[in-house]
Amino acid sequence: MKRTLIIITLILSFVTAQGGEQEVQIPCAWGKIAATLATPDSTECDTAAIIIAGSGPTDRNGNSGLNLNTYAYKMLSDELVAKGIATLRYDKRAVGGSYYPKEDVPSVIFDDFVADARDCIAYLKALGYKRIVIIGHSEGGDIALHLALDNNDAVVGIVLLSAAGYPVDTVLCRQLAQQLVPANIGLYMQAERIIRRIKGGEQVAEEEIPAELLSLFHPSVQPYLANWMAFDPAELMRQVTIPSLVISGGHDIQVLLSDAERLAEAGTNTTLVSFPNMSHVLKDCDTTDRIEQLVSVYTNANLPLTEGLASTIVDFINNL
């Protein structure tokens, strides 16, 4: 799906002197991106951070209908705003309030999400923000890397939260191996073959996909996966010249410290910070057992963010 550049001529909201949160709609080629603009109690704020959600139907707050209930992005936004940094967090197209026709969803590819994030940057620039930082969580980290290569003078830094350091096909194989090997080695081998075919540009028919893997590799999501698999995050990082902060969690069950290390080694202006007990959803836990985390951390909105996470990001932004 091709995208054309949209010049924003209509601002649907304004920054209030009193600060606080307001619901906004950002014009784009396919409709409007639903977002929340949070501003500090200051009329002198010229810095804003865009928080980009991870993969799947994760909304602007860090939740989804798939038993993900963290409010992690909302919590991070609150802490940044309290320190004088405005934030914009948004629903990706076809998620939450960002309505997108159901029949058009199969044509959406990774590049489209990058284009939507560019519209968010343009929106903040039109509001007068001169310093914009991109905070990408998980898949959002890949989007942030693409934005860092745009040579947009308003984007002054990126933060990669629990972001993969390897191409997504490598990460998928690793995650599936953790879940399926050795008990279901045959299913894993089938998944590996499907991944290779998708990356190679093939369309794998639904009847060729085991039922256990259909939600992951359904034909409707294969164009998206193929487009996403084409990028190596470390190769993108080698081209990034603006400051970057890479943050990893020691109890992350989805990406590893080695991912963060690969990104940091590839960067030329990069800082790596690791929190030993942080999970993939940016909250501490005392286990690396996948099922235990899914039950006790991924579904618990009452858990606070990992201590020191927000302050590390604030310090990075203030020192830009």
Side-chain angles (χ1 to χ4, degrees):
M1 177 187 294
K2 293 183 178 180
R3 283 287 303 265
T4 56
L5 180 64
I6 297 298
I7 299 177
I8 297 179
T9 58
L10 175 64
I11 301 300
L12 300 179
S13 66
F14 57 91
V15 179
T16 62
Q18 294 76 24
E21 286 194 348
Q22 55 189 304
E23 300 301 300
V24 300
Q25 292 185 316
I26 301 170
C28 57
W30 50 266
K32 296 171 183 175
I33 300 169
T36 300
L37 178 66
T39 54
D41 293 324
S42 169
T43 58
E44 300 179 357
C45 176
D46 68 347
T47 302
I50 299 176
I51 300 174
I52 304 179
S55 59
T58 308
D59 68 16
R60 72 186 92 172
N61 292 321
N63 306 324
S64 79
L66 302 177
N67 279 333
L68 184 66
N69 187 35
T70 71
Y71 283 94
Y73 306 152
K74 161 68 172 166
M75 292 178 181
L76 178 57
S77 171
D78 288 346
E79 299 221 31
L80 296 183
V81 170
K83 296 299 183 181
I85 300 166
T87 69
L88 182 76
R89 60 188 197 273
Y90 66 95
D91 292 334
K92 296 176 293 185
R93 66 172 80 185
V95 174
S98 295
Y99 171 76
Y100 195 73
K102 187 175 181 180
E103 61 272 17
D104 292 339
V105 170
S107 65
V108 175
I109 57 176
F110 178 84
D111 286 341
D112 294 321
F113 282 168
V114 176
D116 292 346
R118 290 189 178 112
D119 287 335
C120 292
I121 293 172
Y123 174 80
L124 287 176
K125 288 182 68 174
L127 286 180
Y129 290 101
K130 296 179 174 59
R131 294 172 8 111
I132 298 172
V133 177
I134 311 300
I135 302 176
H137 177 236
S138 193
E139 178 194 52
D142 281 356
I143 296 174
L145 285 168
H146 281 76
L147 299 174
L149 299 180
D150 285 347
N151 294 318
N152 189 320
D153 59 357
V155 177
V156 296
I158 59 171
V159 179
L160 308 182
L161 293 175
S162 301
Y166 295 86
V168 68
D169 52 297
T170 300
V171 176
L172 278 174
C173 285
R174 185 176 66 204
Q175 291 176 345
L176 287 168
Q178 292 170 343
Q179 298 177 47
L180 299 177
V181 177
N184 293 293
I185 184 67
L187 187 61
Y188 170 75
M189 293 177 66
Q190 288 179 283
E192 193 178 43
R193 284 193 292 270
I194 291 171
I195 289 170
R196 285 202 304 268
R197 292 175 63 187
I198 292 173
K199 185 169 186 175
E202 288 188 56
Q203 181 78 13
V204 183
E206 183 172 345
E207 55 268 23
E208 298 180 77
I209 304 172
E212 300 92 332
L213 302 173
L214 190 57
S215 62
L216 185 59
F217 301 122
H218 192 278
S220 63
V221 302
Q222 289 180 31
Y224 184 92
L225 287 173
N227 183 220
W228 190 9
M229 289 174 183
F231 306 112
D232 182 338
E235 291 300 321
L236 295 177
M237 180 62 95
R238 287 189 178 91
Q239 304 171 56
V240 174
T241 58
I242 60 175
S244 57
L245 172 63
V246 179
I247 297 180
S248 172
H251 285 175
D252 194 326
I253 58 174
Q254 294 183 239
V255 298
L256 306 176
L257 176 59
S258 58
D259 287 271
E261 290 172 339
R262 187 170 190 255
L263 289 171
E265 289 169 4
T268 57
N269 193 4
T270 305
T271 301
L272 171 62
V273 176
S274 180
F275 293 94
N277 297 320
M278 191 175 79
S279 67
H280 191 70
V281 293
L282 313 180
K283 301 183 177 191
D284 277 1
C285 63
D286 57 7
T287 178
T288 56
D289 182 85
R290 178 175 173 272
I291 299 302
E292 288 183 16
Q293 278 202 23
L294 293 177
V295 172
S296 64
V297 183
Y298 281 60
T299 60
N300 190 346
N302 294 318
L303 288 176
L305 292 177
T306 290
E307 185 175 356
L309 172 64
S311 61
T312 297
I313 296 173
V314 169
D315 289 345
F316 170 76
I317 294 174
N318 286 340
N319 288 323
L320 291 172

